[in-house]
């Protein structure tokens, strides 16, 4: 056990060093003058509006669990590697069988896409009356309505019209109604 | 086995020598960090056609010291949302393992001073290389708690990424180290160096085939969060990762630990694969040559780290995970089994190699199946897009508009 003594001393020295740096910093640093903006979480100057996330993609936890499988395999490999020469063929076969079992679980994981981190497209339930045109307000389009009603009419039919009051105000709705009425007339 | 210093137990002389060794190693490590940070800044500035630090001291060598002293004089902030205990604990959990991990590195041969012979190595415990793996696992706690304790978004995201990345590449690290243990038959780093001492061809990098070394190098780079694997502190998206909220001396300790780990890991690479302090010795000062060889080899790797930082773009997170799990781990495991089989018997080696080709084919098939499921998902999504006419971007937008327009006109009428 005496071989571990220097490690213990180095550990103590490391802790002491860190503690001493904190003490020195406490003595040398200016007095603390906390203010609301200093104590706020750093968000590049923008006032944080949301709490940091409490939930994470399940893949992170999955990686943690899969890591345990491989770590256990490694734990079993080390004694074999150290006593390898005495164990000989017997040890090799044992480890091969063990490796095959772990490999099969690994195959299962890979085949099920458990280790796929690629960008996935999110499947969203489609809501019929929410489209790009009625969700995003297009200022230019409205200006064009005033100048050239005939051409923009069809685009505006879906845009301003179908919102059910999502973005468009009452007056816009009227404009759209009038325009689309003209379009229907065509 | 073990340090011959303690053959007579812990006498006073042995204790004093041990203390001197520890203090010298500590001081040398601090000095090395100072020089390595300067070295990195200077080399990368040359690679980017800049001048780099050139004000403090000759060639700007004192720049690191100046930065360190500056950080002592900065206000020590703890953010209001932080968990104060965890926030204060995290720097210790990062810096102490960084110190301890260095203790198992053999720096030179065995020297005799005033009748006491001892190894030029802080400690030579029987567990040897396992201590390094343990300490690199401990560092994950420091990183995780630093991010979690800050109570802020970017540090938290950075630390979650970091812990997933570090544990992923730790598996590769563990398996490749096993193959070195396999040919050495011991966990002691001193024994590993001794087993490579006969000639250059006996260095593990050649003896094991170059593959374990390459795997180890990639795994270490990812473990250290060095470029191109520095997703943890990807400035463009995470500010500074888990150290975002740290200021003053706390930040300095994280920075110190990072570079200390870079030095230790380069030294470990030299120890495991390049014969450690092994090299030609000349008669002048015979104890000094191994140290020079060791320092020289370690510097090569430190230079390579800087070079990688200047040359390579950062990986994407999914590329990082796929590389770790689907490429490095299977290769590392397969290579380890082949090495083991060849050491037992050449025929066994052939059998295992043949089995490995079959296993690779199986793995390729499994990956295709995994990808096939993803494709099925995409196809399902496409059908949702065309029939439902929902929020599918510009492509699906036109169809949706038409139906909505009709519905509105009916409502109006």
């Amino acid at each position: 056990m005496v071989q571990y003594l220097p490690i213990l001393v180095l550990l103590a020295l490391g802790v002491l060093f860190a503690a001493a740096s904190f003490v020195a910093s406490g003595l040398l640093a200016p007095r603390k003058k906390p203010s609301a903006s200093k104590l706020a979480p750093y968000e590049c100057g923008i006032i944080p509006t949301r709490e940091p996330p409490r939930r994470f993609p399940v893949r992170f936890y999955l990686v943690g669990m899969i890591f345990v499988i491989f770590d256990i395999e490694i734990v079993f490999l080390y004694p074999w590697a150290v006593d390898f020469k005495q164990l000989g063929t017997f040890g090799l076969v044992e480890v091969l069988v063990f490796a095959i079992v772990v490999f099969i679980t690994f195959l299962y994981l890979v085949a099920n896409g458990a280790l796929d981190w690629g960008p996935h497209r999110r499947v969203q339930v489609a809501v019929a009356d929410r489209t790009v045109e009625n969700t995003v307000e297009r200022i230019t389009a409205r200006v064009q309505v005033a100048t050239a009603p005939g051409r923009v009419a069809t685009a505006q039919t879906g845009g301003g019209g179908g919102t059910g009051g999502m973005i468009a105000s009452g007056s816009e709705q009227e404009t759209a109604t009038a325009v689309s009425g003209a379009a229907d007339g065509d | 086995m073990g340090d011959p210093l303690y053959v007579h137990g812990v006498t006073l002389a042995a204790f004093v020598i041990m203390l001197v060794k520890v203090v010298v190693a500590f001081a040398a490590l601090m000095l090395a960090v100072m020089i390595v940070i300067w070295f990195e800044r200077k080399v990368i500035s040359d690679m980017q056609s800049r001048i780099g630090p050139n004000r403090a001291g000759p060639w700007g060598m004192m720049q690191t010291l100046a930065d360190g002293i500056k950080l002592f004089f900065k206000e020590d902030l703890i953010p209001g949302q932080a968990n104060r205990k965890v926030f204060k604990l995290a720097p210790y959990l990062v810096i102490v393992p960084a110190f301890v991990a260095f203790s198992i590195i053999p720096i030179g041969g065995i020297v005799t001073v005033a009748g006491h012979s001892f190894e030029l190595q802080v400690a030579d415990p029987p567990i040897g290389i396992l201590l390094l793996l343990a300490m690199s696992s401990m560092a994950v706690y420091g990183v995780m708690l630093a991010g979690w304790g800050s109570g802020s978004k970017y540090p938290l995201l950075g630390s979650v990424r970091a812990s997933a990345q570090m544990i992923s590449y730790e598996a590769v690290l563990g398996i490749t180290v096993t193959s070195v243990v396999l040919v050495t038959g011991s966990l002691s780093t001193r024994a590993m160096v001794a087993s490579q001492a006969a000639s250059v061809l006996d260095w593990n990098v050649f003896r094991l085939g170059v593959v374990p070394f390459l795997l180890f190098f990639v795994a270490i780079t990812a473990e250290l969060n060095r470029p191109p694997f520095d997703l943890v502190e990807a400035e463009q998206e995470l500010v500074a990762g888990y150290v975002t909220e740290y200021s003053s001396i706390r930040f300095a300790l994280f920075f110190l630990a990072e570079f200390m780990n870079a030095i230790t890991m380069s030294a470990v690479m030299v120890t495991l694969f390049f014969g450690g302090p092994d090299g030609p010795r000349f008669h002048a000062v015979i104890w000094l040559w191994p140290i020079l060889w060791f320092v020289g080899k370690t510097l090569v790797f430190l230079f390579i780290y800087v070079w990688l930082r200047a040359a390579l773009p950062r990986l994407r997170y999914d590329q990082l995970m796929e590389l770790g799990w689907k490429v490095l781990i299977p290769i590392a495991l397969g290579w380890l089994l082949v090495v083991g089989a060849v050491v037992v018997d050449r025929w066994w080696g052939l059998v295992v190699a043949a089995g490995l080709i079959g296993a690779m084919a199986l793995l390729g098939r499994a990956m295709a199946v995994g990808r096939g499921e993803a494709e099925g998902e995409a196809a399902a999504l496409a059908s949702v897009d065309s029939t439902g006419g929902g929020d599918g971007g510009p492509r699906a937008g036109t169809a949706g508009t038409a139906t909505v327009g009709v519905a509105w006109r009916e409502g109006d009428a």
Side-chain angles (χ1 to χ4, degrees):
Chain A
M1 289 309 279
V2 74
Q3 300 287 346
Y4 294 93
L5 189 67
I7 297 176
L8 203 66
V9 175
L10 192 59
L11 189 136
L13 205 59
V15 174
L16 264 179
F17 170 75
S21 330
F22 287 134
V23 171
S25 164
L27 292 176
L28 296 174
R31 282 238 320 279
K32 289 187 186 181
K33 282 184 230 154
S35 68
S37 54
K38 265 189 202 172
L39 294 181
Y42 182 83
E43 303 245 332
C44 308
I46 294 169
I47 297 166
T49 50
R50 286 165 61 190
E51 290 283 299
R54 291 272 171 259
R55 305 200 301 173
F56 280 95
V58 74
R59 296 201 177 275
F60 285 106
Y61 301 93
L62 215 55
V63 162
M65 283 155 66
I66 297 168
F67 166 71
V68 172
I69 299 172
F70 278 92
D71 219 28
I72 286 176
E73 165 154 31
I74 294 165
V75 165
F76 284 130
L77 282 177
Y78 270 98
W80 166 67
V82 173
D83 273 343
F84 174 71
K85 294 202 172 89
Q86 290 89 320
L87 293 172
T89 315
F90 167 73
L92 180 70
V93 173
E94 287 275 295
V95 163
L96 278 179
V97 170
F98 180 56
I100 288 168
V101 172
V102 173
F103 185 69
I104 290 170
T105 61
F106 183 64
L107 282 183
Y108 177 77
L109 288 169
V110 170
N112 277 289
L115 297 170
D116 280 340
W117 285 75
H120 282 282
R121 292 176 65 189
R122 213 173 290 155
V123 180
Q124 286 181 331
V125 181
V127 181
D129 58 346
R130 242 177 97 88
T131 65
V132 176
E133 277 77 6
N134 68 22
T135 316
V136 180
E137 191 179 15
R138 299 259 163 91
I139 295 170
T140 49
R142 229 189 305 153
V143 173
Q144 281 173 337
V145 168
T147 51
R151 281 204 53 178
V152 192
T154 39
Q156 201 64 12
T157 311
T163 57
M166 192 72 199
I167 292 164
S169 61
S171 64
E172 276 168 358
Q173 201 119 27
E174 277 173 28
T175 323
T177 315
V179 168
S180 92
D184 283 349
D186 290 338
Chain B
M1 211 163 117
D3 199 334
L5 181 61
Y6 310 107
V7 279
H8 305 296
V10 189
T11 56
L12 182 67
F15 190 75
V16 169
I17 291 176
M18 185 270 287
L19 272 187
V20 169
K21 272 207 299 189
V22 169
V23 172
V24 166
F26 181 85
L29 201 52
M30 298 295 278
L31 194 69
V33 169
M34 207 181 102
I35 293 170
V36 164
I37 292 176
W38 168 79
F39 174 77
E40 166 148 11
R41 293 177 68 173
K42 210 65 183 167
V43 169
I44 204 158
S45 64
D46 276 356
M47 287 178 174
Q48 296 168 344
S49 302
R50 296 185 285 117
I51 295 170
N54 67 345
R55 295 287 148 179
W59 304 290
M61 280 186 84
M62 295 291 128
Q63 187 63 48
T64 318
L65 196 63
D67 288 343
I69 292 171
K70 181 195 76 178
L71 283 170
F72 270 108
F73 286 93
K74 289 288 176 187
E75 186 181 339
D76 184 20
L77 270 178
I78 298 180
Q81 292 201 350
N83 185 331
R84 296 180 71 90
K85 275 183 195 154
V86 176
F87 190 83
K88 286 178 178 170
L89 178 70
Y92 287 97
L93 284 179
V94 171
I95 191 98
V96 172
F99 275 120
V100 173
F102 187 75
S103 61
I104 55 151
I105 310 287
I107 298 162
I110 295 176
V111 294
T112 307
V113 175
H116 296 277
S117 57
F118 55 89
E119 295 170 344
L120 284 178
Q121 175 177 4
V122 175
D124 186 15
I127 57 163
I129 198 74
L130 286 185
L131 186 81
L132 175 94
L133 293 176
M135 287 305 130
S136 78
S137 305
M138 283 299 289
V140 182
Y141 282 102
V143 169
M144 187 67 214
L145 290 180
W148 182 77
S150 294
S152 174
K153 266 175 234 167
Y154 299 119
L156 186 60
L157 292 173
S159 68
V160 169
R161 276 190 188 186
S163 35
Q165 173 180 343
M166 284 164 105
I167 62 172
S168 297
Y169 281 80
E170 212 168 272
V172 186
L173 203 69
I175 296 173
T176 44
V177 169
T178 316
S179 59
V180 175
V181 174
L182 197 69
V183 290
T184 309
S186 166
L187 292 167
S188 158
T189 44
R190 178 64 57 175
M192 284 173 188
V193 169
S195 79
Q196 303 175 58
S199 76
V200 170
L201 283 178
D202 270 348
W203 286 2
N204 281 334
V205 60
F206 302 119
R207 196 157 53 157
L208 292 168
V210 188
V211 173
F213 161 67
L214 292 177
L215 294 173
F216 189 81
F217 181 68
V218 174
I220 283 285
T221 314
E223 191 80 1
L224 290 171
N225 302 323
R226 294 279 315 181
F229 300 107
D230 60 337
L231 290 100
V232 173
E233 37 207 301
E235 299 88 0
Q236 292 83 358
E237 37 190 305
L238 292 178
V239 193
Y242 58 91
V243 290
T244 303
E245 296 288 357
Y246 281 88
S247 55
S248 174
I249 196 64
R250 293 181 211 276
F251 171 75
L253 288 184
F254 276 106
F255 204 69
L256 192 67
E258 205 171 297
F259 277 88
M260 226 184 272
N261 281 328
I263 294 171
T264 306
M265 288 304 188
S266 303
V268 167
M269 208 134 50
V270 169
T271 306
L272 292 184
F273 293 101
F274 290 89
D278 176 37
R281 293 162 200 210
F282 306 99
H283 281 291
V285 257
I286 203 151
W287 59 273
L288 188 65
W289 287 103
I291 300 178
L292 289 183
W293 281 115
F294 171 79
V295 172
K297 290 173 188 174
T298 310
L299 267 181
V300 169
F301 284 107
L302 287 168
F303 176 76
I304 291 176
Y305 281 139
V306 183
W307 191 8
L308 289 181
R309 181 178 154 193
L312 294 179
R314 189 178 292 131
L315 266 75
R316 222 169 50 211
Y317 201 74
D318 60 310
Q319 290 172 335
L320 173 93
M321 283 311 205
E322 301 233 323
L323 178 70
W325 286 103
K326 292 185 182 170
V327 179
L328 296 186
I329 288 181
I331 294 178
L333 192 56
W335 199 271
L336 169 73
L337 294 177
V338 171
V339 167
V342 169
V343 175
V344 168
D345 192 346
R346 203 148 290 189
W347 291 109
W348 266 115
L350 277 178
V351 170
V352 173
L356 215 62
I357 292 169
M360 268 166 64
L362 272 175
L363 187 63
R365 175 82 190 119
M367 282 185 197
V369 170
R371 238 176 280 128
E373 283 193 358
E375 274 162 22
E377 207 171 279
L381 180 74
S383 68
V384 168
D385 268 359
S386 58
T387 55
D391 187 7
R395 187 171 54 80
T398 46
T401 314
T403 49
V404 170
V406 168
W408 169 74
R409 254 175 273 161
E410 280 166 359
D412 190 50

